[in-house]
């Protein structure tokens, strides 16, 4: 945990002043505390492209840190242990007041790390209705090619109206 606190001190002394410099004059009295911080969505819990402690809640100042539709992507529990990020991730997740993930694997990782069952939600991209896009498509058939046991032969998957 000392590494986490040391990292938080570096983040607070370096990154927050950079952010504050971009805040308008009317917001310069920004205190470090905000009502709610939402982390997500997408692969914010993944370690594949590097580790950002902010994504696990470290260095953030709020009494209400939550995640929405986060995922570990292809990062496994074994990866977290092997890469020595398990404690960093676990301690960050523990300070969140609510955790939602977008897939079963991420849910299982959270359960294993902090013994909490996160809510599973859909990718926020799916929340967009696509009404205009659907209405602009003329009726046509879409041909797909399947792979393996999931779809062993090419078939007409669906028709759009």
């Amino acid at each position: 945990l000392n590494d986490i606190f040391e990292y938080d001190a570096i983040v607070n002394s370096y990154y927050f002043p950079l952010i504050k410099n971009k805040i308008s004059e009317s917001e310069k009295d920004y205190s470090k505390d905000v009502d709610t911080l939402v982390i997500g969505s997408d692969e914010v819990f993944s370690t594949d492209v590097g580790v950002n402690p902010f994504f696990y809640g470290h260095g953030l100042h709020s009494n209400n840190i939550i995640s929405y539709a986060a995922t570990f992507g292809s990062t496994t529990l074994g990866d977290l242990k092997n890469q020595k990020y398990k404690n960093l991730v676990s301690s960050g997740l523990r300070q969140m007041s609510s955790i939602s993930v977008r897939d079963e694997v991420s849910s299982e990782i959270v359960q294993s790390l902090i013994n909490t069952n996160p809510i599973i939600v859909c990718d926020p991209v799916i929340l967009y209705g696509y009404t205009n896009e659907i209405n602009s498509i003329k009726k046509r058939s879409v041909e797909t090619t399947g792979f393996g046991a999931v779809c062993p032969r090419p078939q007409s998957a669906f028709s759009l109206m």
Side-chain angles (χ1 to χ4, degrees):
L1 283 177
N2 286 338
D3 290 340
I4 294 169
F5 293 124
E6 184 176 313
Y7 185 87
D8 283 353
I10 292 168
V11 167
N12 287 331
S13 66
Y14 181 74
Y15 289 106
F16 283 122
L18 291 177
I19 293 168
K20 286 174 112 175
N21 289 338
K22 294 183 179 185
I23 294 175
S24 70
E25 287 295 321
S26 64
E27 296 174 325
K28 282 202 175 183
D29 290 333
Y30 167 78
S31 73
K32 291 181 181 177
D33 297 320
V34 295
D35 292 337
T36 301
L37 285 166
V38 180
I39 299 171
S41 69
D42 214 3
E43 293 194 28
V44 292
F45 293 164
S46 173
T47 61
D48 291 341
V49 294
V51 174
N52 183 336
F54 286 137
F55 289 164
Y56 307 108
H58 296 290
L60 304 176
H61 303 280
S62 176
N63 290 328
N64 194 31
I65 299 172
I66 65 174
S67 77
Y68 177 75
T71 182
F72 284 92
S74 63
T75 300
T76 65
L77 185 58
D79 293 336
L80 295 175
K81 291 176 183 176
N82 293 337
Q83 298 165 348
K84 300 185 176 158
Y85 293 130
K86 182 181 174 209
N87 290 337
L88 174 79
V89 174
S90 297
S91 61
L93 294 176
R94 276 191 194 94
Q95 64 185 343
M96 293 184 189
S97 54
S98 179
I99 300 173
S100 72
V101 295
R102 66 169 69 179
D103 58 83
E104 287 288 336
V105 172
S106 295
S107 176
E108 291 168 7
I109 293 172
V110 171
Q111 289 173 35
S112 295
L113 291 174
I114 64 170
N115 199 29
T116 296
N117 293 320
I119 300 165
I120 298 177
V121 297
C122 70
D123 183 325
V125 169
I126 296 170
L127 298 176
Y128 178 72
Y130 297 100
T131 304
N132 293 336
E133 292 79 0
I134 291 170
N135 290 336
S136 69
I137 297 173
K138 294 181 180 175
K139 185 176 180 177
R140 62 182 176 176
S141 189
V142 177
E143 195 72 25
T144 62
T145 302
F147 302 94
V150 175
C151 186
R153 63 184 182 284
Q155 60 185 357
S156 179
F158 56 89
S159 292
L160 298 174
M161 297 185 358

